[in-house]
Amino acid sequence: MRRIRFTFDEEKFVQTLALLASKGLPELTTLKVAKLLFLADKKHFTTYGRPILGDRYVGMKNGPCPSAALQVMNGTVKEDAPPVGATVRALVDKFLKVDPTQGANAVFVPRREPD
């Protein structure tokens, strides 16, 4: 049996994150983004036979989590996380800002509408 592999699309992830942020969702934290991405990918996969972002989901304490997307979000939000690439960082900075003052966790806030 041959495994099907999908490639994570960083730009599409940042655009998706910007779209979620532009919808005015309250407290859009990394946990909420992970849950929304899982549900969206599940729906898209069952409908079209392919995921939206091509990320790999891993089981974690609070449920399934997109691993590459989590690395990008942590690299953007956390000081002690490994930094993200310059291209991804520029995209994040173009479309989003991170507000560390809202609630217990940092929240993603839109800078502009996604493309």
Side-chain angles (χ1 to χ4, degrees):
M1 180 166 53
R2 198 173 119 202
R3 288 187 174 186
I4 298 173
R5 302 224 183 234
F6 298 98
T7 304
F8 177 66
D9 188 333
E10 293 173 332
E11 183 175 352
K12 191 182 280 188
F13 166 66
V14 174
Q15 292 292 334
T16 303
L17 185 54
L19 177 69
L20 291 172
S22 72
K23 296 296 181 184
L25 299 171
E27 294 189 28
L28 189 61
T29 63
T30 56
L31 178 62
K32 187 178 270 189
V33 170
K35 300 302 169 201
L36 291 171
L37 288 177
F38 173 74
L39 293 172
D41 257 348
K42 180 181 174 186
K43 174 70 173 162
H44 195 271
F45 195 84
T46 57
T47 304
Y48 301 105
R50 64 185 184 280
I52 297 170
L53 301 174
D55 207 344
R56 187 175 137 263
Y57 286 86
V58 293
M60 298 193 69
K61 177 184 170 189
N62 293 319
C65 184
S67 62
L70 182 63
Q71 286 179 349
V72 171
M73 288 187 289
N74 283 343
T76 305
V77 172
K78 296 182 177 182
E79 299 282 328
D80 58 347
V84 296
T87 305
V88 175
R89 185 64 198 203
L91 274 172
V92 170
D93 289 344
K94 180 178 178 182
F95 291 100
L96 300 158
K97 66 179 177 175
V98 178
D99 187 353
T101 62
Q102 294 185 9
N105 298 310
V107 175
F108 294 99
V109 180
R111 285 188 194 268
R112 57 179 274 195
E113 289 293 316
D115 290 339

